[in-house]
């Protein structure tokens, strides 16, 4: 018995008409009738009662129909079952996440998780940029979002977001203002908000502010963003943070502090996604990095 015999039988049983079944099978009615007779002979049972105008299933035919359908379904399932059996196992990998990641960027990470779901389970790991860069270099993390600049030659990166920054200033002093000039802050002390978590960025920002005439500094060891906001609200200092109100950093603002864009100074924070170059070039992350390049093809700008 061949699979074709069962396919022919099911087609005739469903149509109860040899001519219609033959058209469905793209063959002539005469050879189809002969194949059914061959099957009946092999099984030792008559499967159809035939008359000039009617075709009906016999008791044996009715019993065979669900069996034949089940066998054909099993055969039809072989290609995808085989593919499932031999495809690579799903790997769990970790993606580094620095603090204050913008919701739009988090959504992109979620899209990457969905795109690579069949091959990778992506789990997130928090940390500062220096720690995350080190973890990627050591192979503990597959990927990581990092605040630029990063200069590790072993890593490859793709820019994913540029965030415009604004001044966190005392609300009462700048009430009713839409912008602030950098010179208006020269008598205030600048409080760095990310010197430990983003040291390279902090050094660059400090240099830019010094060149712009901001000389006073107030370094507060271990201060959280809300603590910095409290100090700004006192009226004698300012800081810098993301300008977009959708940024989670705005959750740390307290009454008495507000964020204004600069009129004559355009600081920004660049974020990139990094991975080990050797793991992407025909390594274990080649497929994941291909997904990264697709999902993050267009950098975000806020």
């Amino acid at each position: 018995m061949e699979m074709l015999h069962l396919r022919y039988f099911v087609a005739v049983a469903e149509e109860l008409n040899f001519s219609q079944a033959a058209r469905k099978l793209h063959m002539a009615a005469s050879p189809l009738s002969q194949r059914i007779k061959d099957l009946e002979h092999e099984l030792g049972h008559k499967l159809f009662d035939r008359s000039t105008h009617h075709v009906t299933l016999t008791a044996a035919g009715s019993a065979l129909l669900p069996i034949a359908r089940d066998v054909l379904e099993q055969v039809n399932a072989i290609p995808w079952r085989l593919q499932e059996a031999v495809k690579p196992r799903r790997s769990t990998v970790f993606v580094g996440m620095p603090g204050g990641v913008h919701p739009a960027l988090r959504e992109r990470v979620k899209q990457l998780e969905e795109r690579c779901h069949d091959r990778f389970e992506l789990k997130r790991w928090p940390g500062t940029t220096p720690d995350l860069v080190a973890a990627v270099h050591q192979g503990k993390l597959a990927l990581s979002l990092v605040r630029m600049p990063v200069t590790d030659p072993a890593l490859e990166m793709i820019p994913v977001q540029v965030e415009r920054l604004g001044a966190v200033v005392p609300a009462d002093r700048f009430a009713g203002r839409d912008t602030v000039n950098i010179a208006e802050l020269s008598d205030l002390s600048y409080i760095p908000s990310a010197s430990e978590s983003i040291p390279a960025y902090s050094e660059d920002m400090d240099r830019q502010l010094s060149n712009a005439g901001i000389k006073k500094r107030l370094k507060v060891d271990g201060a959280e963003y809300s603590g910095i906001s409290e100090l700004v609200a006192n009226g004698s200092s300012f800081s810098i943070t993301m300008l977009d109100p959708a940024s989670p950093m705005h959750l740390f603002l307290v009454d008495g502090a507000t964020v204004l864009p600069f009129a004559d100074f355009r600081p920004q924070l660049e974020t990139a996604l990094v991975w080990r170059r050797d793991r992407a070039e025909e390594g274990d992350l080649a497929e994941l990095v291909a997904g990264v390049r697709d999902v993050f093809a267009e950098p975000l700008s806020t």
Side-chain angles (χ1 to χ4, degrees):
M1 183 190 307
E2 299 179 3
M3 286 299 123
L4 282 177
H5 286 110
L6 292 181
R7 294 189 188 279
Y8 295 157
F9 164 72
V10 170
V12 176
E14 290 177 344
E15 298 294 333
L16 293 178
N17 184 296
F18 277 85
S19 296
Q20 292 179 13
R23 284 194 292 272
K24 183 177 179 180
L25 295 167
H26 305 289
M27 63 187 299
S30 179
L32 174 59
S33 179
Q34 184 58 51
R35 296 295 183 275
I36 296 298
K37 289 179 181 179
D38 293 341
L39 179 61
E40 290 175 325
H41 177 74
E42 184 171 354
L43 294 175
H45 291 280
K46 189 177 181 181
L47 302 175
F48 295 99
D49 284 325
R50 304 169 178 85
S51 68
T52 305
H53 301 291
H54 298 286
V55 175
T56 58
L57 283 166
T58 64
S62 296
L64 177 61
L65 182 57
I67 298 172
R69 282 173 170 162
D70 183 62
V71 170
L72 292 175
E73 286 178 3
Q74 293 293 327
V75 171
N76 291 336
I78 287 175
W80 71 263
R81 286 185 181 275
L82 180 61
Q83 184 177 358
E84 287 291 313
V86 301
K87 75 177 184 180
R89 290 186 177 181
R90 191 163 177 248
S91 301
T92 298
V93 296
F94 288 88
V95 179
M97 301 287 288
V101 173
H102 194 281
L105 188 51
R106 286 186 173 275
E107 182 60 29
R108 286 280 181 92
V109 174
K110 183 178 179 181
Q111 291 174 20
L112 178 64
E113 293 170 352
E114 294 172 350
R115 187 189 189 283
C116 301
H117 179 268
D118 290 343
R119 180 68 179 84
F120 296 96
E121 179 185 14
L122 271 60
K123 293 190 175 183
R124 306 180 189 188
W125 191 265
T128 65
T129 285
D131 290 342
L132 295 174
V133 169
V136 173
H137 187 105
Q138 295 162 8
K140 296 177 181 179
L141 298 179
L143 310 165
S144 184
L145 292 172
V146 296
R147 307 302 193 181
M148 298 299 286
V150 170
T151 57
D152 188 331
L155 303 185
E156 190 172 0
M157 61 192 69
I158 182 173
V160 295
Q161 187 174 35
V162 177
E163 294 179 85
R164 189 179 170 193
L165 304 178
V168 187
V169 296
D172 56 353
R173 176 169 173 173
F174 294 91
R177 296 284 297 276
D178 295 324
T179 61
V180 60
N181 294 309
I182 191 71
E184 296 179 272
L185 305 177
S186 60
D187 63 323
L188 301 179
S189 297
Y190 168 60
I191 308 177
S193 60
S195 56
E196 295 180 358
S197 60
I198 325 176
Y201 155 81
S202 297
E203 291 173 6
D204 182 62
M205 179 59 65
D206 190 80
R207 183 167 50 253
Q208 291 185 55
L209 290 172
S210 293
N211 293 338
I214 305 298
K215 304 300 182 183
K216 295 182 180 181
R217 300 290 185 272
L218 176 60
K219 186 174 181 180
V220 184
D221 293 332
E224 299 290 339
Y225 288 100
S226 58
I228 293 174
S229 183
E230 294 282 9
L231 292 173
V232 169
N234 287 338
S236 60
S237 57
F238 79 97
S239 189
I240 290 179
T241 193
M242 289 72 164
L243 187 59
D244 187 355
S247 169
M249 305 313 297
H250 281 243
L251 297 175
F252 295 99
L253 284 176
V254 300
D255 292 340
T258 189
V259 180
L260 293 176
F262 289 98
D264 54 354
F265 182 51
R266 292 189 63 85
Q268 61 185 29
L269 179 63
E270 298 179 11
T271 302
L273 194 58
V274 302
W275 58 87
R276 278 191 67 99
R277 190 183 307 275
D278 56 357
R279 295 184 70 182
E281 296 174 352
E282 300 182 1
D284 61 321
L285 298 182
E287 187 176 342
L288 180 59
V289 170
V292 167
R293 295 190 186 282
D294 181 34
V295 172
F296 294 93
E298 294 293 332
L300 296 167
S301 181
T302 55

